[in-house]
Amino acid sequence: MSRVSVAYQDHVAHVTLTRGDKMNALDDAMIKALLSAGQEVAASDARAVVLSGEGKSFCAGLDMASFAKMAHMDPTEWLMTRSHEDANEMQELALIWRRVPVPVICAIQGAAYGGGLQISLGADIRIAHPEAKLAVMEMKWGIIPDMGGMVLLPRLVRSDVLRLLTYTARPIGAPQAAEWGLVTQLSDDPLTEALALAENIAGQSPSAIRAAKRLIEVAETQPRADVLMAESAEQVELIGKPDQMEVVMAQMQGRKPVFK
């Protein structure tokens, strides 16, 4: 059974977790399908991506069978192997959405727990239903967040919030998550809101959007001098080029830009 679907419309890729009867819990098939979907959309000509889960929840984290499997695995071999640049396979589930060169918007309903939350953190933007619940759930099972969460969480929340969420495994409501920075905005229909936002982004200059995502990553991780140089280098590749000239002409003529 397919665990993930990928559909394209108007330059927007929609990646859907399709194990709704199991709260889109992660098993081996789901893990491989998600990685494959991320690689596919990264190589496509999509200008924005929406990541969502079917059914009542976005993703409840690892399923029970996966936890049971851990007892029979060598954790050193499984987790210490760098299979995706600087990450292992599990970390790549979240980080691949940062490697996708265009903005990724995650729609969250129901539960986003553990691995599910960390996957959502890989998105650029998270839109959640007001009744959604989010949790750094790993401590409940005697482990720590290890799917890129410790790269992504410190960029979003204060240190004391990070520690509270990690130490307690306590689920929080989406309004609290938004106040603390885990959620970008709330919506009674997060998927519709995410698709509309993706459509808006897909209408911007494709080259400028990709440059902006690269630049933000540099800005969040590199020293001041490197950020300033990256600003200049990215801008040089945009000014006067076809996409930028089309934006200017469209603005002057009062129409939507059309990019080749």
Side-chain angles (χ1 to χ4, degrees):
M1 181 183 295
S2 175
R3 293 288 195 260
V4 176
S5 69
V6 183
Y8 299 89
Q9 184 174 351
D10 299 328
H11 300 288
V12 173
H14 185 186
V15 178
T16 308
L17 285 63
T18 58
R19 202 186 182 199
D21 60 327
K22 301 292 186 181
M23 297 177 69
N24 295 310
L26 300 166
D27 61 1
D28 283 346
M30 175 76 86
I31 290 167
K32 289 178 171 52
L34 267 173
L35 292 174
S36 177
Q39 292 162 357
E40 177 185 327
V41 298
S44 75
D45 63 356
R47 299 175 187 171
V49 179
V50 171
L51 179 62
S52 68
E54 69 172 19
K56 295 182 179 180
S57 287
F58 170 65
C59 177
L62 286 178
D63 68 3
M64 295 308 298
S66 296
F67 276 110
K69 184 180 177 181
M70 285 184 188
H72 305 286
M73 297 179 66
D74 177 0
T76 301
E77 180 180 352
W78 178 37
L79 297 177
M80 296 303 291
T81 300
R82 305 292 95 178
S83 55
H84 296 78
E85 297 184 17
D86 56 350
N88 64 34
E89 181 180 67
M90 300 304 291
Q91 292 164 334
E92 187 69 1
L93 281 176
L95 298 179
I96 194 168
W97 308 108
R98 290 297 170 97
R99 301 191 204 278
V100 169
V102 297
V104 179
I105 304 135
C106 184
I108 301 172
Q109 80 285 359
Y113 291 164
L117 174 62
Q118 291 178 83
I119 290 168
S120 78
L121 298 177
D124 297 76
I125 296 164
R126 283 158 297 286
I127 302 174
H129 190 279
E131 296 180 2
K133 298 287 187 181
L134 298 86
V136 181
M137 189 63 79
E138 284 76 10
M139 192 61 66
K140 178 179 179 179
W141 305 106
I143 56 177
I144 50 93
D146 68 337
M147 289 173 52
M150 287 304 165
V151 170
L152 301 168
L153 280 163
R155 302 184 190 179
L156 297 171
V157 301
R158 302 189 317 253
S159 177
D160 59 328
V161 171
L162 170 59
R163 293 164 192 269
L164 174 66
L165 293 171
T166 303
Y167 298 158
T168 66
R170 183 186 304 159
I172 60 170
Q176 180 67 77
E179 182 179 337
W180 280 345
L182 288 176
V183 165
T184 311
Q185 67 183 72
L186 304 178
S187 172
D188 289 332
D189 190 344
L191 179 56
T192 297
E193 188 78 17
L195 289 167
L197 179 57
E199 182 181 357
N200 176 278
I201 292 171
Q204 310 297 330
S205 164
S207 55
I209 285 290
R210 288 176 177 243
K213 182 158 181 174
R214 288 192 299 268
L215 182 58
I216 291 168
E217 182 68 20
V218 172
E220 289 180 337
T221 60
Q222 301 301 315
R224 169 191 167 100
D226 293 341
V227 176
L228 293 173
M229 184 60 73
E231 279 187 358
S232 301
E234 293 286 4
Q235 197 76 301
V236 165
E237 295 303 315
L238 297 174
I239 293 176
K241 302 302 191 296
D243 283 352
Q244 197 251 338
M245 296 306 297
E246 172 59 14
V247 170
V248 172
M249 292 301 297
Q251 290 284 352
M252 295 176 63
Q253 296 171 7
R255 60 174 175 81
K256 292 183 178 180
V258 178
F259 301 104
K260 296 180 179 179

